[in-house]
Amino acid sequence: MKRFIRFAAIIVGGLAASIASAFTFNVTSPNAGTISDPTFLGSTNTVSFSATAVDRELTVTVVATNLDTNTTITREQKFTPTDSKIDSSIPLNFSPGTPEGNYRLDVSAHYTGDPTTTTVTIDNLKLDITKPKILEFNPGTSTFVPAGVVHITAFIQEANFKNYTVQVNGQDIPDNTGTTLVNNELTVNWDTTGITNDGSQTISITITDKANNTSSQSISVTLDRIKPSITIQSPSSSVRARADFNVVVDIQDASTASVDVTGIDVILTRMDGSFLYRVPRVSLNGQSGNTQRWTGRILGKKVTLPKQFKLKVTAVDRAGNIAVTQSTTINVK
């Protein structure tokens, strides 16, 4: 008889503990969206929740249901309360190839071993795991940029665009962020005036969509604020009539790489400045001291020269810096 009473007491006590151990469960993120303004899920997400009045281990299950395909992805973890509370989260990450589209989350919690479950449903979610694409950008990689304002532009392909950030050498520049694109293009103006030294600079563009997927592009450019200088080496003062002769011009700039061969123009003019002949280039060779030597050749039998003419040289480097024009008067003997 004593054994029966003791056993009954244990059963009653157990029922009392079960009734008293009801808990409160809330999902704090993500929040439900609306049909016209859904909440976006990306490749990497966190389902955050809180539970109070918890007296033992809690099992939390997240079920993500694609409403277009009726497929599900499930994540489950066990949590131990501290001071009868749990504030934690479960990662919800989607691998490449997971069907995008409309989703619903069902987040449920129950005591481990107890089938009684509390479920919170979050509707109007949209999965977007496609990163934004930066299709075109300017200035291009390994190009030269001049003094003053450089226009940084990029063409973006992203249906759910959120914002962009542009930095130079890892630092923010004025007006470098935005939440809108004009014809899918961003434009940021970079004033190079305050930079102390010319040389390599890194432009970084970061695009983020509404699902917090990000894409970045780093562009290495060279800041060149030095105008090229021109020295006419030959001919110095005269040439022989109907004879072949070379034209040699040295172009000095920030570096030999910054000299733009297509920006060098060597012409012959009459003394009144009217055009006579454009000298064809034979070679462009690097010299010491950041100098490129431009060499052209004139075939005397193919060009009729007046008794006196001018040799005129202009140059623009890869950054767009314009050299002071050089000219010299040549006599024909």
Side-chain angles (χ1 to χ4, degrees), residues 14-332:
L15 290 172
S18 177
I19 293 171
S21 64
F23 59 87
T24 301
F25 182 73
N26 291 297
V27 176
T28 55
S29 73
N31 296 317
T34 64
I35 294 176
S36 60
D37 186 19
T39 297
F40 282 86
L41 301 176
S43 300
T44 303
N45 309 275
T46 301
V47 178
S48 300
F49 61 88
S50 64
T52 57
V54 185
D55 63 8
R56 55 188 183 275
E57 184 182 74
L58 205 63
T59 299
V60 179
T61 305
V62 177
V63 179
T65 302
N66 185 314
L67 301 180
D68 304 315
T69 63
N70 202 33
T71 55
T72 61
I73 294 174
T74 302
R75 301 287 184 268
E76 185 174 277
Q77 285 185 226
K78 292 178 172 59
F79 299 89
T80 301
T82 301
D83 296 329
S84 301
K85 296 179 181 179
I86 298 174
D87 284 298
S88 194
S89 61
I90 292 179
L92 179 62
N93 303 327
F94 297 92
S95 63
T98 302
E100 297 181 326
N102 299 308
Y103 273 75
R104 181 188 74 240
L105 289 186
D106 294 299
V107 186
S108 61
H110 63 87
Y111 284 124
T112 304
D114 185 339
T116 305
T117 302
T118 298
T119 301
V120 177
T121 298
I122 305 170
D123 292 310
N124 297 314
L125 305 175
K126 179 167 280 191
L127 178 63
D128 175 6
I129 58 175
T130 303
K131 291 185 177 183
K133 293 182 179 179
I134 304 173
L135 300 181
E136 299 175 10
F137 50 85
N138 184 74
T141 297
S142 301
T143 57
F144 290 79
V145 296
V149 176
V150 176
H151 301 293
I152 301 172
T153 63
F155 186 82
I156 309 303
Q157 181 177 298
E158 174 52 58
N160 303 311
F161 171 79
K162 182 179 179 181
N163 58 49
Y164 66 79
T165 301
V166 177
Q167 294 184 317
V168 176
N169 299 327
Q171 302 296 320
D172 290 333
I173 58 177
D175 302 319
N176 69 322
T177 62
T179 56
T180 58
L181 301 174
V182 178
N183 297 323
N184 297 317
E185 188 176 68
L186 67 85
T187 300
V188 172
N189 293 326
W190 167 36
D191 188 352
T192 65
T193 304
I195 297 179
T196 305
N197 299 316
D198 287 4
S200 180
Q201 316 288 327
T202 300
I203 301 170
S204 300
I205 300 172
T206 300
I207 308 298
T208 305
D209 66 16
K210 292 179 180 178
N212 290 324
N213 301 305
T214 63
S215 292
S216 297
Q217 179 74 50
S218 291
I219 307 160
S220 179
V221 300
T222 299
L223 176 59
D224 175 10
R225 294 173 289 192
I226 300 174
K227 291 182 178 181
S229 61
I230 302 169
T231 303
I232 299 173
Q233 299 291 1
S234 68
S236 58
S237 59
S238 64
V239 295
R240 291 175 55 194
R242 311 294 292 173
D244 300 346
F245 63 91
N246 288 338
V247 175
V248 180
V249 178
D250 284 346
I251 310 294
Q252 187 177 42
D253 202 25
S255 70
T256 54
S258 64
V259 176
D260 185 5
V261 63
T262 64
I264 303 171
D265 195 21
V266 181
I267 63 172
L268 308 183
T269 69
R270 297 178 180 87
M271 296 304 294
D272 63 4
S274 60
F275 178 80
L276 182 62
Y277 185 71
R278 176 164 279 104
V279 182
R281 175 173 56 88
V282 175
S283 64
L284 183 73
N285 297 309
Q287 307 292 308
S288 61
N290 298 334
T291 300
Q292 290 275 27
R293 173 158 291 180
W294 187 98
T295 301
R297 187 163 179 80
I298 294 178
L299 302 179
K301 293 181 180 180
K302 291 187 177 182
V303 182
T304 301
L305 297 173
K307 290 293 185 181
Q308 195 174 53
F309 64 91
K310 286 187 176 182
L311 174 63
K312 181 179 178 182
V313 183
T314 59
V316 179
D317 67 16
R318 294 185 187 276
N321 300 306
I322 301 173
V324 176
T325 300
Q326 298 296 314
S327 64
T328 186
T329 299
I330 306 297
N331 297 305
V332 178

